[in-house]
Amino acid sequence: MRSLALLLATASLASAYHNGHRDIYHDNYGRDLRRRNIVYNGQVASSYDFVIVGGGTAGLAIASRLSEDSNTTVLVLEAGDTGDAVADSINVPVNAYYSGLPGTSYDWQYTTAKQPNAGNRALSWPRGKVLGGSSAMNGMYHIRPSKIEVDTWAGLIGDNDKWNWDALFTNMITSETFTPPSSDVQAAGNIMYNASSRGTNGPIHATYPGFMVPLVGNWTTTLSDIGVAVTSDAYGGQAWGAFIATSSINPANWTRSYSRSAYIDPLPPRSNLAVLPNATATRIIFDTSNSANLTATGIEWAASASAPRQTIKVNKEVILAGGTIGSPHLLQLSGVGPSDVLKAAGVDVQLNLPGVGQHVQDHISTEVTWKTTAQTENSLRTQNLAAGGNSPAFLSFINSATAYVNVTDLLGFDFAPQFRQTIADELQSSLSSLVPSQDATVKKGYEAIYNATLNTLLTSPVGQIEILLSLTGGQVDGSNTVSIQAALQHPFSQGQIYITSNDPFAPPVIDPQYLSHQADTILLREGLKLARKIGTTAPLSSAIGAEVTPGSAVQSDDDWDSWLANMIGTEYHPSGSCGMLPLELGGVVDADLKVYGLANVRVADASVFPIQFSAHLQAPTYGVAEQAARLIRATYNGVGWPSANQANSSASASGSATSGSASPTASPQQDNNGATPRAVGSSVVLAFAGMLAAALL
């Protein structure tokens, strides 16, 4: 009956809809979209039980899970388009490097404030503005954090039930289906894995490429020869050392597996689910009669800056899934955030919540590059294009050789304790000079994160630097190239995101304060030195020629520090801006993902991670989405949490790849991305920005 009521309540808003779906061409295509629960403006109802803001990595997963309950109505508002017009750029894995979405209209094209410690540069922060969000444009690394990190997060919020390792592990397993590599690919890449740590029946596919560039096979042997441990199970809670990572690829057709293709496209028509692209949420509307606990009653949205504002009534909850930038942005536009920021932007203060937009942390990276005579993905691709095409399996190759190296790998057993003590001694000066907020609770949160990073993570086996092998770069002086990237994983520098205008179509200020703490420079410098060492160590060195960047002129610590400051950029993993911390530590959400002071608004995306993980954030974000759905369904329908977690607690502890009581949304091998894989034509143009973005996301 609830679904029937929704259909009867459908309001025709088409006359007010400007700048509609650029990806919709004709009626047949529209009907196809309807079958995937993607709707036109004129098909949305006047009210929904749950309105999810952001149809990205987390948002679509949550929508799919919540709409499994037929008595629940769900609307997703996504500012970007459907992505159908750029299906090949999304679906073909290798296109992430050569014809990806960064820099296009499917990218928010954010830039940071000028970074005084990074050459005074304003740096690019690509984020997906399309159904699927950044999962539609990233490099598809499917890597989990370590148990130590997740339990540290749980300790900060004081919750050892919902957000400890066992809980997140269960939800990450629920989200995925793991497929082992073929015997040929396993041999070529020297791949080790433990299937018992992986999921078997989840929507997101995780596997290895259908083709492996031979040079990858030298990776783990080389790392072992310089003393970095090689792991056979990076997914069971000890994600450190060297390994070949899985990627979010569907081996049934060698296409990208992302939140839309996995959680939405395989669904039958659900009359209780509507996914609306090209719909930017402009503010949350509150009932302010109880000033201590505001209730969201609606979401205002618009198709463009010039389009009229429209309102959807919220019956139960608003769920923010706009990511580390989008979620704090909308809260602030709605009058929830630091009062000084809101007043300066001309926004009426509904709730002074100082932590909104604070505690921003990001991975930063750069690379050492050499010439090579060995085959690379780029050289093989160029040869195959000249010969008339490439197979889907070949086009699934993406970078996957990685290593997470700890502080003793970087600094040695003798210097590491001295380095730790130096950071400890700098806490008070960092509190007084590096925290971008003057609020006492935010400063206490900074101190808590700082101490957790220093006293638990830095001294553990967890990686402080990620080392990545890149075989997708272009030629230099007619020669193929190989790069080894180094990326800082646990920064001591924290920044902020804040609005300066009440215009929802104006981007917020993004100031990550890169390299503001000297420890970050030291760790990244030592990571780059290690990258250089790896490149000159057998057996990998047999394929390595002259160093291109930074080159032989960079030798001393001062040389490295000066060079990297002008070269670093984001690894595309920002988090922390709606931190799950106690309110007295500048927190924004509690252990139930509810925003403090708001009765029915939750945040469920990477912005809630209060610390950075030594991992790419896609897999843990799917875990957050699955857990969020369980919490919400338990609240209203009595399914999900805690019964689902209890049912899986023993399986989680033993590493069994079983899912919870919530059935998977899609059966394995069903996310076909709506496209048939095909060879890419010779007209593809190398795009350096997209290539670098895909290499790291």
Side-chain angles (χ1 to χ4, degrees), residues 247-317:
S247 301
S248 50
I249 295 173
N250 184 350
N253 54 11
W254 300 115
T255 58
R256 177 192 296 266
S257 182
Y258 68 114
S259 64
R260 176 187 161 179
S261 70
Y263 280 95
I264 299 298
D265 286 352
L267 297 180
R270 284 182 179 171
S271 59
N272 64 330
L273 172 62
V275 179
L276 183 65
N278 295 298
T280 298
T282 55
R283 68 183 174 111
I284 306 169
I285 300 170
F286 293 106
D287 175 355
T288 59
S289 58
N290 181 357
S291 60
N293 201 29
L294 306 180
T295 299
T297 60
I299 291 287
E300 181 186 87
W301 67 277
S304 68
S306 60
R309 306 289 169 87
Q310 303 173 59
T311 300
I312 297 291
K313 182 183 175 183
V314 175
N315 299 327
K316 291 180 179 177
E317 292 193 14

Side-chain angles (χ1 to χ4, degrees), residues 154 159-164 167-168 171 591-592 627 631 641 645:
D159 182 280
N160 290 312
D161 190 10
K162 296 184 182 76
W163 299 107
N164 63 10
L168 189 67
N171 285 291
D592 290 318
Q627 181 72 323
L631 291 168
W641 176 270
N645 188 68

Side-chain angles (χ1 to χ4, degrees), residues 81 97 128 206 229 413 417 587 625 640:
D81 223 324
Y97 301 101
F413 287 98

Side-chain angles (χ1 to χ4, degrees), residues 471-494:
L471 300 175
T472 52
Q475 291 190 339
V476 172
D477 298 330
S479 297
N480 299 327
T481 59
V482 170
S483 297
I484 300 178
Q485 300 158 354
L488 178 70
Q489 298 299 287
H490 298 120
F492 286 91
S493 304
Q494 295 182 29

Side-chain angles (χ1 to χ4, degrees), residues 230-524:
V230 176
T231 179
S232 61
D233 183 10
Y235 292 85
Q238 297 183 349
W240 53 75
F243 58 98
I244 309 303
T246 52
S247 301
S248 50
I249 295 173
N250 184 350
N253 54 11
W254 300 115
T255 58
R256 177 192 296 266
S257 182
Y258 68 114
S259 64
R260 176 187 161 179
S261 70
Y263 280 95
I264 299 298
D265 286 352
L267 297 180
R270 284 182 179 171
S271 59
N272 64 330
L273 172 62
V275 179
L276 183 65
N278 295 298
T280 298
T282 55
R283 68 183 174 111
I284 306 169
I285 300 170
F286 293 106
D287 175 355
T288 59
S289 58
N290 181 357
S291 60
N293 201 29
L294 306 180
T295 299
T297 60
I299 291 287
E300 181 186 87
W301 67 277
S304 68
S306 60
R309 306 289 169 87
Q310 303 173 59
T311 300
I312 297 291
K313 182 183 175 183
V314 175
N315 299 327
K316 291 180 179 177
E317 292 193 14
V318 171
I319 302 161
L320 301 185
T324 298
I325 302 170
S327 290
H329 188 211
L330 186 61
L331 283 173
Q332 292 177 11
L333 288 168
S334 306
V336 179
S339 58
D340 57 339
V341 168
L342 304 183
K343 291 174 182 176
V347 173
D348 292 337
V349 179
Q350 304 292 337
L351 175 66
N352 179 31
L353 193 57
V356 176
Q358 297 294 319
H359 302 137
V360 173
Q361 300 154 69
D362 189 25
H363 295 161
I364 52 176
S365 67
T366 188
E367 63 188 15
V368 180
T369 300
W370 298 265
K371 294 180 180 179
T372 181
T373 56
Q375 292 179 326
T376 66
E377 168 67 13
N378 185 58
S379 66
L380 289 169
R381 173 180 166 277
T382 301
Q383 293 169 15
N384 289 353
L385 286 173
N390 287 307
S391 71
F394 175 79
L395 294 172
S396 73
F397 178 85
I398 50 180
N399 294 320
S400 57
T402 190
Y404 289 93
V405 295
N406 63 40
V407 70
T408 54
D409 291 331
L410 296 166
L411 301 176
F413 287 98
D414 293 335
F415 185 63
Q418 179 183 338
F419 176 68
R420 182 202 166 279
Q421 186 59 51
T422 299
I423 300 172
D425 293 342
E426 292 172 342
L427 172 58
Q428 293 306 314
S429 62
S430 298
L431 275 170
S432 63
S433 62
L434 298 184
V435 183
S437 170
Q438 295 304 307
D439 180 79
T441 66
V442 173
K443 288 193 171 187
K444 288 180 180 178
Y446 176 93
E447 183 175 6
I449 295 167
Y450 191 104
N451 283 329
T453 304
L454 174 67
N455 298 322
T456 303
L457 303 182
L458 184 67
T459 56
S460 76
V462 168
Q464 304 304 315
I465 293 289
E466 182 184 27
I467 306 291
L468 295 170
L469 177 65
S470 174
L471 300 175
T472 52
Q475 291 190 339
V476 172
D477 298 330
S479 297
N480 299 327
T481 59
V482 170
S483 297
I484 300 178
Q485 300 158 354
L488 178 70
Q489 298 299 287
H490 298 120
F492 286 91
S493 304
Q494 295 182 29
Q496 63 177 333
I497 293 170
Y498 61 95
I499 59 173
T500 58
S501 165
N502 59 11
D503 178 4
F505 291 89
V509 174
I510 301 168
D511 185 5
Q513 297 198 143
Y514 286 148
L515 301 176
S516 57
H517 196 292
Q518 68 166 352
D520 295 352
T521 297
I522 294 170
L523 286 168
L524 189 53

Side-chain angles (χ1 to χ4, degrees), residues 37-270:
N37 303 286
I38 301 170
V39 302
Y40 295 106
N41 183 329
Q43 295 172 297
V44 296
S46 59
S47 69
Y48 289 83
D49 293 331
F50 299 98
V51 177
I52 300 170
V53 179
T57 307
L60 294 184
I62 296 169
S64 181
R65 293 306 192 188
L66 293 184
S67 62
E68 289 178 7
D69 299 329
S70 60
N71 66 337
T72 295
T73 58
V74 181
L75 171 67
V76 179
L77 297 176
E78 166 54 41
D81 223 324
T82 65
D84 292 286
V86 287
D88 274 358
S89 292
I90 294 172
N91 296 338
V92 180
V94 77
N95 282 355
Y97 301 101
Y98 304 116
S99 58
L101 301 184
T104 72
S105 63
Y106 298 88
D107 171 14
W108 282 97
Q109 301 187 49
Y110 291 120
T111 57
T112 70
K114 289 185 177 180
Q115 299 297 289
N117 298 299
N120 204 35
R121 294 174 295 145
L123 302 175
S124 174
W125 264 33
R127 309 308 298 164
K129 188 180 181 182
V130 64
L131 285 180
S134 293
S135 75
M137 65 185 286
N138 63 17
M140 289 159 274
Y141 284 94
H142 202 80
I143 298 175
R144 296 177 186 162
S146 294
K147 181 179 188 296
I148 295 170
E149 297 169 299
V150 178
D151 286 346
T152 299
W153 165 21
L156 285 170
I157 190 60
D159 182 280
N160 290 312
D161 190 10
K162 296 184 182 76
W163 299 107
N164 63 10
W165 169 254
D166 284 347
L168 189 67
F169 180 65
T170 296
N171 285 291
M172 290 188 291
I173 280 180
T174 299
S175 72
E176 78 169 22
T177 291
F178 168 71
T179 301
S182 69
S183 57
D184 289 345
V185 166
Q186 183 175 9
N190 196 16
I191 296 170
M192 296 185 291
Y193 64 89
N194 181 358
S196 69
S197 297
R198 308 307 299 268
T200 60
N201 202 31
I204 295 293
H205 288 275
T207 189
Y208 300 89
F211 170 83
M212 190 62 66
V213 176
L215 200 58
V216 174
N218 293 332
W219 180 250
T220 54
T221 303
T222 301
L223 270 290
S224 177
D225 286 350
I226 64 170
V228 175
V230 176
T231 179
S232 61
D233 183 10
Y235 292 85
Q238 297 183 349
W240 53 75
F243 58 98
I244 309 303
T246 52
S247 301
S248 50
I249 295 173
N250 184 350
N253 54 11
W254 300 115
T255 58
R256 177 192 296 266
S257 182
Y258 68 114
S259 64
R260 176 187 161 179
S261 70
Y263 280 95
I264 299 298
D265 286 352
L267 297 180
R270 284 182 179 171

